[in-house]
Amino acid sequence: MMRRSLWLVPRFGSCKGLLGSPRLRPQSVLHRHPPRQVLGTSFSSSTDALVARFCPKTTDLKDYALPNASWSPDMMRLYEEFLEKTKDGEWIKLPSFKSNADHIRGLKVPGGLTTTSKEDGRLFTRFLEKEGQGYEYVIFFNPAKKKSVCLFQPGPYLEGAPGFAHGGALVALVDETFSKTAYLSGHGLFTINLNIKFKNLIPVGSVALLNVELEKIEDHKMFLSCIAQSPDQQVLFAKVSGVFLQLELEEEE
Amino acid sequence: MMRRSLWLVPRFGSCKGLLGSPRLRPQSVLHRHPPRQVLGTSFSSSTDALVARFCPKTTDLKDYALPNASWSPDMMRLYEEFLEKTKDGEWIKLPSFKSNADHIRGLKVPGGLTTTSKEDGRLFTRFLEKEGQGYEYVIFFNPAKKKSVCLFQPGPYLEGAPGFAHGGALVALVDETFSKTAYLSGHGLFTINLNIKFKNLIPVGSVALLNVELEKIEDHKMFLSCIAQSPDQQVLFAKVSGVFLQLELEEEE
């Protein structure tokens, strides 16, 4: 029965009935621009509170978004560049734990949806413990501007066309970067829609930069965009738009 | 320089200049329905020839699309059902090797694009050797009707929301099923566009059925659709549309 309770978007596009509508606490304000203003007060947690919880100062959890020996000089250079930008607090380097359950400890989805990962559960984009062969990435988030940059170095296990990253591997990471940006910017919780235009293939081992922005919030939906390109901005890999549903997690009793 | 030669779709939507247009041998016929008729003769290999090459009768390559101990009774039942349908030749069970390079041995992409996988390269949707934790799936293809069914059992390493498959993991497998269907149906080689509407989450360990159809071919572009749902068709997981670019691989000298 659980599966049937998980309607994210009813067939006819209404938001009614989502995850048991009585428990839904939607964003009541509706603005177009700028993104900073769209985040109203109908949610009990601000972006600052969400970020503080998401980035614990002390934790025994492994952070997968830290440099390792597999990172190329390009990847390291960009990482250092963005790390520099975190010093004045404008940008934040997001930690990346093994499972989303680790990121939302003590919280639950309204409507009774489980937030417990299986014992061996892993976030898809962190599927591999071994460094360098799967996803290598780190997300930097700008809380004031509600935007993110993800540095992405695809390993050989992400192959589609021989020697190049699978389109699906890129989409999954864009979805993941959208997801973190939407959550921290205003309780965006579930992907409703993704639209991807592929332009160029990403060679395995190279670096791609995903520039993600929150465009607007309307009717409890957050609209995000992503431009994936080479660090020198000379090669466009893909353009993506996404829509996320806002839903506030509740404190567990 | 290689990256710059990989433009799949120029910025303004024209097909000119794709991968060095002089080498492009596009589909010259243009039909809408039915899909069977859209496959003209401008390509030197028919679907039958493509399928014969794709499904070698003898090979020393491991086929990852065979049942293993991690497959649930639901997955096994559906597999047996579709295997039964292969007996009269209407449906074909596609093999799934470690890399796409194994599927196109002896062929190359016109324009000099490599078809050589790195030594440790793996197809993204076969990233894990260990059974049951990553992707478990098998694709059945109907050559006459140009459609496919993919049986998908997501493992715990595909997690997004705790306990459920990541949206990106589903998209990647839909893209992969599109890719095989487009290739075998008419030399569809590169994903140009994907549009995904998510409806319900797929619980880790359950089975999803991806029904993929080739809708039409226009201007060297193949339009595909996918409905991902529970085996009993009671829960819709996602609807996806995709566009692929036709491009015939060439025999290596």
Side-chain angles (χ1 to χ4, degrees):
Chain A
M1 289 307 291
M2 173 172 287
R3 287 189 300 176
R4 297 184 196 214
S5 71
L6 291 178
W7 278 98
L8 297 185
V9 184
R11 192 174 281 268
F12 301 107
S14 159
C15 267
K16 288 175 189 168
L18 286 169
L19 287 159
S21 52
R23 289 168 185 266
L24 187 68
R25 290 190 283 171
Q27 175 82 348
S28 61
V29 293
L30 188 155
H31 294 278
R32 281 183 178 267
H33 289 284
R36 286 195 68 174
Q37 296 178 351
V38 300
L39 299 166
T41 53
S42 68
F43 290 116
S44 56
S45 300
S46 66
T47 287
D48 286 349
L50 287 166
V51 168
R53 184 163 197 148
F54 196 88
C55 306
K57 286 197 172 133
T58 57
T59 174
D60 55 353
L61 296 166
K62 176 176 173 180
D63 179 3
Y64 288 84
L66 290 173
N68 63 54
S70 79
W71 286 23
S72 69
D74 263 4
M75 184 77 171
M76 278 306 302
R77 179 181 53 76
L78 288 162
Y79 177 76
E80 298 291 353
E81 254 179 56
F82 275 91
L83 205 61
E84 193 65 30
K85 294 183 187 177
T86 64
K87 288 188 177 164
D88 63 3
E90 193 188 352
W91 289 83
I92 292 162
K93 184 211 146 289
L94 299 183
S96 177
F97 304 139
K98 200 185 77 166
S99 162
N100 271 328
D102 295 326
H103 283 290
I104 54 170
R105 278 186 182 181
L107 297 174
K108 64 176 185 179
V109 179
L113 182 59
T114 178
T115 52
T116 308
S117 177
K118 299 210 174 184
E119 199 181 333
D120 52 356
R122 294 189 73 98
L123 179 64
F124 180 46
T125 50
R126 295 297 182 194
F127 65 76
L128 211 61
E129 197 63 37
K130 199 171 174 185
E131 295 167 353
Q133 292 190 304
Y135 280 100
E136 293 294 341
Y137 71 94
V138 51
I139 300 172
F140 291 89
F141 175 61
N142 186 319
K145 294 186 177 161
K146 317 292 182 210
K147 64 182 188 179
S148 295
V149 169
C150 175
L151 315 180
F152 172 36
Q153 179 185 300
Y157 283 22
L158 303 194
E159 215 179 60
F164 296 91
H166 197 290
L170 173 61
V171 176
L173 188 56
V174 172
D175 185 32
E176 187 54 29
T177 310
F178 275 169
S179 155
K180 296 297 184 267
T181 309
Y183 177 68
L184 295 175
S185 296
H187 300 274
L189 208 59
F190 291 109
T191 320
I192 294 175
N193 179 252
L194 287 175
N195 193 316
I196 307 102
K197 290 180 179 27
F198 294 99
K199 300 293 183 177
N200 279 281
L201 299 177
I202 306 176
V204 163
S206 71
V207 179
L209 226 91
L210 318 185
N211 284 286
V212 165
E213 297 201 15
L214 173 61
E215 300 289 343
K216 62 177 177 179
I217 303 179
E218 274 181 14
D219 197 19
H220 332 309
K221 292 176 188 164
M222 307 180 82
F223 294 78
L224 297 108
S225 67
C226 173
I227 291 180
Q229 56 190 356
S230 61
D232 64 3
Q233 302 183 15
Q234 295 302 300
V235 187
L236 179 62
F237 297 126
K239 286 186 173 185
V240 190
S241 59
V243 185
F244 275 67
L245 178 70
Q246 289 185 300
L247 193 67
E248 184 165 12
L249 294 169
E250 293 174 346
E251 296 280 345
E252 280 180 347
E253 281 102 50
Chain B
M1 290 306 291
M2 173 172 286
R3 289 189 299 177
R4 296 185 197 215
S5 72
L6 291 177
W7 278 96
L8 297 185
V9 183
R11 192 175 281 268
F12 300 108
S14 158
C15 266
K16 288 174 189 168
L18 285 170
L19 286 160
S21 51
R23 290 168 185 267
L24 187 68
R25 290 189 282 171
Q27 176 81 349
S28 62
V29 293
L30 189 156
H31 294 277
R32 281 184 177 267
H33 288 284
R36 285 193 68 175
Q37 296 177 349
V38 300
L39 299 166
T41 54
S42 67
F43 290 117
S44 56
S45 299
S46 65
T47 286
D48 286 350
L50 287 166
V51 168
R53 184 163 197 148
F54 196 88
C55 306
K57 285 196 173 134
T58 58
T59 175
D60 54 354
L61 297 166
K62 176 176 173 179
D63 180 2
Y64 288 83
L66 290 174
N68 63 54
S70 78
W71 286 23
S72 68
D74 262 5
M75 184 77 171
M76 279 307 302
R77 180 181 52 77
L78 289 160
Y79 177 76
E80 298 291 352
E81 254 180 56
F82 275 91
L83 205 62
E84 192 65 30
K85 293 182 186 176
T86 65
K87 289 188 176 164
D88 64 3
E90 193 188 352
W91 288 83
I92 291 161
K93 183 209 148 290
L94 299 183
S96 178
F97 304 139
K98 198 184 79 165
S99 164
N100 272 328
D102 295 327
H103 282 291
I104 54 170
R105 278 187 183 181
L107 297 174
K108 64 175 183 179
V109 179
L113 182 59
T114 177
T115 52
T116 308
S117 177
K118 300 211 173 183
E119 199 181 331
D120 52 355
R122 293 189 74 98
L123 179 65
F124 180 46
T125 50
R126 296 297 182 194
F127 65 77
L128 211 62
E129 198 63 37
K130 199 171 174 184
E131 295 167 352
Q133 291 190 304
Y135 280 100
E136 293 293 340
Y137 71 93
V138 51
I139 300 171
F140 291 89
F141 175 61
N142 186 318
K145 295 185 176 161
K146 316 294 182 211
K147 64 182 188 179
S148 294
V149 169
C150 174
L151 316 180
F152 172 35
Q153 180 187 298
Y157 283 22
L158 303 194
E159 217 179 57
F164 297 90
H166 198 290
L170 173 61
V171 176
L173 189 55
V174 171
D175 184 33
E176 187 54 29
T177 311
F178 275 169
S179 156
K180 296 296 183 267
T181 309
Y183 177 68
L184 295 174
S185 295
H187 301 274
L189 208 59
F190 291 109
T191 319
I192 296 176
N193 179 251
L194 287 176
N195 193 314
I196 307 103
K197 289 179 180 26
F198 294 98
K199 300 293 184 178
N200 279 281
L201 299 177
I202 307 176
V204 163
S206 71
V207 180
L209 226 92
L210 318 185
N211 285 286
V212 164
E213 298 201 14
L214 172 62
E215 300 289 344
K216 62 178 178 178
I217 302 180
E218 275 181 14
D219 196 19
H220 332 308
K221 292 178 188 163
M222 308 182 82
F223 294 78
L224 297 108
S225 67
C226 173
I227 291 178
Q229 56 191 354
S230 61
D232 64 3
Q233 301 182 14
Q234 294 303 298
V235 186
L236 179 62
F237 297 126
K239 286 186 173 187
V240 190
S241 59
V243 184
F244 276 67
L245 179 69
Q246 290 184 301
L247 193 67
E248 184 164 13
L249 294 169
E250 294 174 347
E251 296 281 343
E252 280 179 347
E253 282 104 50

